[in-house]
Amino acid sequence: MTMSAGWYLRRLSRMGPREVGGRAVDAARRQRWRSARPACPSVTGARFTAVLPAGAIAAIPPDAAKRLIAEADRLMYGHAEYFGVVRDDLADPDWWCDPKTGRRAPWGYAFDVPYRDEDAVGDIKQIWELSRHQYLTQLAAAYAITGNERYAERVAEHLRSWWAANAPLRGVHWISGIELGIRLLSWVWIRRLLDGWPGAAGLFEGNPVALNQIWHHQRWLAAFPSRGSSANNHVIAEAAGQLAAACAFGWFPSSARWRADALRSLDRHLRGNTFGSGLNRELATEYHGLVLELGLAAVAEADAAGVPVPASIRLVLLRMTDALAAIVDNRLRPPRQGDADDGHGLVLDGAGTDRWGSLLATGDAVFGRLAWWPEVTGTDVRTPLLAALIEPTRPAVTRPASRPAHFADAGLTILRGPEEIWCRCDGGPHGFLSIAAHAHADALSVEVRHDGVDVLADPGTYCYHGQPEWRQYFRSTLGHNTLQLDGSDQSVSGGPFLWLRHARSRVLAVATSGGGVARWCAEHDGYQRSVHRRRVELTAASRELRVVDEVRGPGRDVRLAFHLGPAIAADLVGNRAVLTWIRDGEGRSAVLDLPGQLSWRAHRGDTDPPMGWYSAGFGRKEPTTTLVGTGSADGAEGFITVLRFRG
């Protein structure tokens, strides 16, 4: 996907004068750097002191260690899967090749590489992911646990290969700050986990090539921070990586300045990216997880180096952790809201480790769990290692005495019922900053689960670049459990990661406790001349969810969509659908009575146009059933949908 001149003009229109000025300075600096590449300052006597405390490795639970070692062995054989693409070339990877398309990114000055053009470069996510070097942190952790030097030797081989193939400012891996920041964080942990290996010092502080790479990464991040309308999760990754490297690899004349600047940036942008309630302002749950991981890892480096961390940083991370504990379902699954690209801040675990349980376990170790937190039964490698570095803290603030259900600033409400019925209602802002890059046109959408199984599902994200029709579908209004009016999305897209007009939602009423009935009501103005209002009621005694949609204004043509999870089989007759699924070997069922004023049709795996798809993770999609009702809003007092869970 290439960007047209029109896209750049639309993108420019979403920037303020200060951001435009900053980007002009960046452009001029890129031109100067094209021919002026200073050498890394000479470093003598460098030592790595940010080691793990004694006993940290021994604290790793045996089952978590076993999962990690199994993953490391798969990697040693060259096997991995990224974004639905199975790879068997990791024993000797080509750092510039996209295994999905077979294309190799072109060589040249980094800022000349057309990384958004899949025809020229390939799938940039596939190329970038391996070079975050998070698979090398897994191999390094396997060495730390087992002492087997074959893991350490493979890590060293791959780092030397990458450094040789990716000279500073040359090629596709020097384009995006988030990639440099996460890569630096990986290098810090690789060095830490390899500390017992005789070759560790010679690989890093005793290696002029490594020093040159570390210095140039930090120089780049200091020069080109994400600005203004782009200061979302990317700027957190940049600051976290810069802080980690400046603390653990503080060997350069600029290290103290880089460290101080990164700490200020992290403090400012963590607060800017987070609502007071603790939810991430992008309203994209996976980015809540990414930012929390990055923040915890950054604090670990500062604490390990004895660098004072502002109390405001710890407070944001505490609130983020409490918010996560509040919104997960009974299986520790958070909402599927907004964009998701499977991005992680720090990877030290093998397959089968629950990401959200791991974050809650770390929160427990660092901040202490509250009585209402859900129980975490799984184990992980990362928690005991982070906890060994982070100073336990109990911020002097009042934490929620009971489990929050309504987050007014984020417009997110969780209705809970018996039999583990969980319902998310969306009445919040469209997204974060002027471009709302990771938002979907999903105002007033609902997401319903039964014992962790998606019943009315958020379909997910699937892709970012290269397949515009799929990108549009997965973030469209019709791609969510809400109402579309007159064939239009509620918010107006200007292209990938760019929204020109944002629907404004407001929650009108919430009652989440007492009386046996949980209620929510909200409306939005995304259709400009018409208002869509939705009421949701969850009745405990009857295990019934009632959704009432009203259209106020001149809007005519209605399409109401309900996307079923991939585990759900549906038998649609008229306006009634019988839903069945299996959970833990037992059959479950529900009845979905749909508005009779609309004509209902089941879609599954349609491609022209796309309809009836579910993306469990980035780059992956599978057919599922979507029920779409079409009709007119004329004369309709309301469209009533009732979901009843059977015993």
Side-chain angles (χ1 to χ4, degrees):
M1 180 186 299
T2 55
M3 301 304 181
S4 65
W7 182 89
Y8 284 104
L9 288 173
R10 293 190 295 272
R11 182 66 181 84
L12 183 64
S13 73
R14 309 304 292 173
M15 302 179 193
R18 185 173 180 179
E19 181 180 355
V20 172
R23 289 178 181 268
V25 170
D26 290 347
R29 181 176 289 120
R30 290 188 183 106
Q31 285 299 110
R32 290 198 307 272
W33 282 23
R34 181 184 297 274
S35 56
R37 284 188 295 155
C40 168
S42 61
V43 174
T44 58
R47 293 175 58 246
F48 183 82
T49 59
V51 298
L52 286 168
I57 296 296
I60 296 172
D63 57 332
K66 183 178 179 180
R67 289 194 302 273
L68 170 66
I69 293 166
E71 184 75 17
D73 288 341
R74 283 192 290 272
L75 292 168
M76 289 294 290
Y77 283 108
H79 302 308
E81 180 180 334
Y82 295 114
F83 312 134
V85 176
V86 176
R87 301 186 62 161
D88 60 6
D89 62 337
L90 263 65
D92 183 20
D94 182 338
W95 304 109
W96 292 32
C97 182
D98 164 27
K100 189 174 80 174
T101 64
R103 298 187 181 99
R104 294 191 83 250
W107 173 256
Y109 184 55
F111 299 114
D112 291 341
V113 177
Y115 69 97
R116 293 189 180 99
D117 185 351
E118 188 168 299
D119 290 336
V121 175
D123 185 333
I124 192 61
K125 285 282 291 177
Q126 289 285 348
I127 296 173
W128 276 346
E129 187 67 17
L130 193 64
S131 289
R132 290 185 171 188
H133 290 170
Q134 292 174 327
Y135 79 100
L136 295 181
T137 61
Q138 293 172 305
L139 290 176
Y143 165 76
I145 291 170
T146 66
N148 189 326
E149 294 192 359
R150 69 189 184 101
Y151 299 120
E153 289 163 357
R154 176 63 58 82
V155 171
E157 176 188 340
H158 281 205
L159 283 178
R160 289 192 172 104
S161 168
W162 194 93
W163 291 332
N166 293 279
L169 295 176
R170 291 296 181 266
V172 74
H173 296 302
W174 289 88
I175 295 171
S176 174
I178 188 174
E179 304 305 317
L180 276 73
I182 290 177
R183 191 154 55 237
L184 278 176
L185 187 59
S186 295
W187 291 354
V188 168
W189 274 89
I190 289 167
R191 176 60 184 88
R192 173 176 291 127
L193 292 164
L194 294 184
D195 192 61
W197 180 52
L203 179 63
F204 280 93
E205 58 267 30
N207 181 0
V209 174
L211 294 172
N212 186 55
Q213 286 277 348
I214 293 167
W215 184 80
H216 274 284
H217 271 68
Q218 292 184 87
R219 177 176 179 260
W220 193 109
L221 289 173
F224 301 115
S226 292
R227 300 180 182 275
S229 56
S230 293
N232 54 8
N233 65 87
H234 284 232
V235 78
I236 304 296
E238 294 159 10
Q242 182 79 297
L243 178 60
C247 287
F249 302 147
W251 308 316
F252 307 103
S254 297
S255 291
R257 174 171 56 85
W258 288 338
R259 185 166 55 242
D261 290 348
L263 195 59
R264 281 194 296 270
S265 178
L266 185 68
D267 185 18
R268 173 190 170 195
H269 290 293
L270 266 179
R271 287 184 281 115
N273 273 253
T274 310
F275 287 111
S277 65
L279 289 179
N280 184 267
R281 285 184 182 271
E282 293 199 74
L283 295 172
T285 312
E286 277 210 6
Y287 287 109
H288 182 106
L290 173 64
V291 168
L292 182 52
E293 288 170 352
L294 291 166
L296 290 167
V299 169
E301 296 308 326
D303 284 354
V307 175
V309 174
S312 50
I313 289 180
R314 297 186 196 271
L315 178 57
V316 170
L317 298 177
L318 166 66
R319 287 177 171 159
M320 291 184 72
T321 307
D322 279 342
L324 176 62
I327 63 176
V328 295
D329 65 20
N330 69 303
R331 301 279 180 146
L332 300 185
R333 292 183 63 215
R336 284 166 53 88
Q337 183 179 17
D339 272 350
D341 70 350
D342 295 0
H344 292 260
L346 175 64
V347 180
L348 299 174
D349 280 279
T353 301
D354 182 74
R355 175 185 196 174
W356 309 104
S358 170
L359 280 169
L360 291 177
T362 304
D364 184 4
V366 174
F367 303 119
R369 72 187 308 276
L370 296 172
W372 54 262
W373 274 28
E375 197 68 31
V376 176
T377 57
T379 63
D380 69 309
V381 171
R382 189 176 61 190
T383 287
L385 300 188
L386 282 176
L389 298 174
I390 299 175
E391 294 290 335
T393 183
R394 301 293 184 268
V397 295
T398 301
R399 297 170 68 184
S402 58
R403 191 174 200 173
H406 176 58
F407 297 81
D409 48 11
L412 184 147
T413 305
I414 304 294
L415 308 182
R416 297 179 188 271
E419 302 295 327
E420 313 301 350
I421 300 170
W422 175 98
C423 173
R424 172 182 66 87
C425 302
D426 177 10
H430 174 62
F432 183 46
L433 301 174
S434 62
I435 63 172
H438 291 297
H440 291 187
D442 57 356
L444 309 196
S445 63
V446 296
E447 185 183 2
V448 181
R449 298 179 192 154
H450 185 280
D451 196 15
V453 174
D454 292 314
V455 178
L456 301 182
D458 184 295
T461 299
Y462 178 54
C463 66
Y464 282 169
H465 301 286
Q467 298 174 282
E469 71 281 9
W470 289 103
R471 174 65 169 153
Q472 174 59 25
Y473 168 70
F474 275 99
R475 65 179 192 155
S476 70
T477 295
L478 200 59
H480 295 83
N481 298 316
T482 189
L483 180 145
Q484 185 198 63
L485 194 61
D486 292 336
S488 300
D489 282 343
Q490 310 149 336
S491 296
V492 176
S493 171
F497 311 108
L498 174 61
W499 294 92
L500 301 177
R501 182 170 56 78
H502 303 180
R504 294 176 299 176
S505 302
R506 61 176 184 144
V507 176
L508 304 174
V510 175
T512 58
S513 61
V517 180
R519 295 183 173 89
W520 173 87
C521 180
E523 65 183 21
H524 76 82
D525 66 354
Y527 298 123
Q528 296 186 291
R529 296 187 303 155
S530 300
V531 172
H532 172 208
R533 177 175 291 182
R534 169 169 277 185
R535 301 195 308 275
V536 179
E537 295 182 354
L538 177 58
T539 303
S542 59
R543 296 191 298 165
E544 176 182 291
L545 186 80
R546 177 178 293 262
V547 181
V548 181
D549 291 294
E550 300 175 25
V551 177
R552 301 184 177 189
R556 294 286 188 271
D557 297 329
V558 166
R559 284 202 286 179
L560 182 61
F562 290 104
H563 301 261
L564 307 182
I568 308 299
D571 182 13
L572 175 67
V573 178
N575 67 317
R576 168 170 283 194
V578 176
L579 314 181
T580 55
W581 66 97
I582 304 294
R583 180 55 152 166
D584 296 333
E586 296 183 5
R588 311 285 179 91
S589 65
V591 174
L592 184 62
D593 284 319
L594 301 157
Q597 310 101 305
L598 303 177
S599 175
W600 289 90
R601 180 183 171 191
H603 298 260
R604 186 175 182 87
D606 296 354
T607 58
D608 189 19
M611 182 65 69
W613 294 91
Y614 179 94
S615 175
F618 196 83
R620 292 174 286 153
K621 69 180 188 298
E622 59 186 299
T624 192
T625 300
T626 296
L627 306 174
V628 179
T630 59
S632 174
D634 289 340
E637 295 184 359
F639 302 100
I640 300 174
T641 303
V642 180
L643 175 63
R644 298 181 183 89
F645 292 96
R646 293 171 166 174

